[in-house]
């Protein structure tokens, strides 16, 4: 792999993660700011976190390069964002790890992973069902 390709992948990875972080920090808030502090409905409390996890994983996956050097930092940032609220309020490490399966941000990421797997499955089945689809792919 030449240097230009390596730097292009690094730049693409950084850009994808920055765009994902920008979307996570900017868009769920205005979409759900109509909620008032005394409103404790599920829409006001959990939907923004579900949406943020879903968007972060989808944007990071589809805009970034397909390499482990992109997925590992993305996974670390995803893990930090999901537990950031507990870390900010001074939770102990064991409490943070114990609460991780019950956070809606991670459920949004899980939903997006299911979407990615479904798209890949449908795409692979479609390519296999169409004869001679891959003949001119080498050119």
């Amino acid at each position: 792999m030449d240097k230009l390709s390596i730097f292009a992948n690094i730049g693409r990875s950084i850009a994808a993660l920055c765009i994902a972080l920008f979307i996570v920090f900017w868009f769920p808030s205005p979409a759900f700011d109509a909620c008032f502090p005394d409103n404790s409905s599920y829409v006001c409390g959990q939907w923004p976190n579900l949406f943020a996890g879903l968007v972060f994983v989808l944007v990071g996956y589809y805009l970034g390069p397909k390499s482990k050097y992109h997925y590992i930092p993305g996974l670390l940032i995803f893990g930090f964002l999901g537990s950031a609220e507990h870390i900010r309020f001074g939770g102990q490490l064991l409490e943070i790890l114990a609460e991780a399966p019950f956070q809606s941000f991670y459920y949004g990421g899980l939903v997006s992973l299911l979407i990615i797997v479904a798209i890949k499955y449908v795409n692979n089945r479609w390519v296999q069902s169409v004869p001679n689809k891959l003949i001119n792919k080498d050119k």
Side-chain angles (χ1 to χ4, degrees):
M1 200 180 255
D2 60 337
K3 285 188 176 186
L4 185 61
S5 176
I6 292 171
F7 288 129
N9 282 341
I10 291 171
R12 186 174 166 197
S13 177
I14 291 171
L17 292 176
C18 287
I19 291 171
L21 286 172
F22 176 76
I23 291 172
V24 165
F25 288 132
W26 183 256
F27 289 110
S29 179
F32 295 97
D33 272 345
C35 298
F36 297 105
D38 59 346
N39 190 356
S40 63
S41 69
Y42 192 78
V43 172
C44 294
Q46 302 302 322
W47 281 109
N49 291 333
L50 283 168
F51 179 72
L54 178 103
V55 166
F56 182 81
V57 173
L58 286 177
V59 169
Y61 180 78
Y62 283 113
L63 292 182
K66 308 297 184 244
S67 71
K68 66 180 176 181
Y69 301 111
H70 171 70
Y71 296 142
I72 291 173
L75 183 64
L76 290 174
I77 293 171
F78 178 76
F80 175 74
L81 287 177
S83 299
E85 186 175 344
H86 291 288
I87 293 169
R88 186 177 70 193
F89 292 123
Q92 299 293 325
L93 181 61
L94 292 176
E95 292 174 4
I96 293 169
L97 293 175
E99 289 292 322
F102 306 109
Q103 294 178 12
S104 57
F105 184 80
Y106 295 130
Y107 292 143
L110 182 65
V111 169
S112 64
L113 287 176
L114 293 174
I115 291 170
I116 290 169
V117 168
I119 289 172
K120 284 186 170 273
Y121 177 77
V122 168
N123 190 21
N124 287 339
R125 298 293 284 174
W126 179 73
V127 167
Q128 290 175 357
S129 68
V130 177
N132 302 326
K133 174 84 173 135
L134 298 174
I135 288 177
N136 295 329
K137 193 164 187 154
D138 294 333
K139 294 182 180 180

